[in-house]
Amino acid sequence: MLNPQRPMDLAALALAALLAGMALLQWQSASSFSDAAEVAEARVVELRTAKKVILEAEADVFATVEFVPEGASESVRAELPTTVQNLGLEPEGLVGTLVSVRYDPAAPRVVRYGAASGAEGAIPLAALALFALFVPAIMRRSILASGGG
């Protein structure tokens, strides 16, 4: 049981509340995007590689797409916010390919690939918030088991 009188429990509660708040904001942002989003066929026009320096990991690749928003006369270029690897796409041969995107009509440069709305990001945040509530109990048991308390 969490006791806000204990500093470790209070810190865990604060962290859980912060993470839960972030999850809620992510969910609401994704929901409002989904409600207003329009669908368009876009052509991948460019790939940008962002090299990771940690542990020589595989570089992240982001796709820039070009499409004409409904009712517009000029095309818009926008970079997808998620790496092509996380979208399940292969960078090789992607340039020139047509993909389905969803965009915000009020800000057409805000795009998502396919049906993704961004709500998926709320799930890990909510899971971390839940886990944060168990950290003090886990630490207390660990300390007791080691004979330290």
Side-chain angles (χ1 to χ4, degrees):
M1 186 84 176
L2 289 174
N3 180 353
Q5 301 297 322
R6 296 185 196 130
M8 185 170 46
D9 291 9
L10 185 60
L13 283 169
L15 179 61
L18 175 70
L19 290 167
M22 290 171 59
L24 182 62
L25 286 174
Q26 176 71 25
W27 188 270
Q28 287 177 334
S29 172
S31 177
S32 65
F33 174 82
S34 292
D35 291 345
E38 296 284 337
V39 177
E41 285 297 309
R43 184 170 307 280
V44 177
V45 293
E46 183 181 337
L47 296 178
R48 179 179 64 85
T49 301
K51 178 68 177 138
K52 293 181 181 178
V53 293
I54 299 172
L55 301 175
E56 298 181 21
E58 181 183 354
D60 287 334
V61 179
F62 295 88
T64 298
V65 296
E66 186 173 70
F67 63 97
V68 179
E70 190 168 328
S73 58
E74 293 185 21
S75 65
V76 170
R77 276 186 175 219
E79 186 174 87
L80 297 174
T82 307
T83 66
V84 295
Q85 297 96 326
N86 286 344
L87 295 173
L89 303 172
E90 289 295 325
E92 295 79 28
L94 192 57
V95 173
T97 304
L98 284 175
V99 295
S100 178
V101 297
R102 295 182 333 139
Y103 67 94
D104 182 349
R109 286 187 170 76
V110 178
V111 295
R112 302 282 189 274
Y113 173 73
S117 65
E120 303 82 11
I123 296 168
L125 289 169
L128 285 171
L130 186 60
F131 177 72
L133 296 174
F134 290 96
V135 169
I138 293 167
M139 290 182 69
R140 274 194 289 281
R141 283 191 175 172
S142 176
I143 291 169
L144 289 173
S146 68

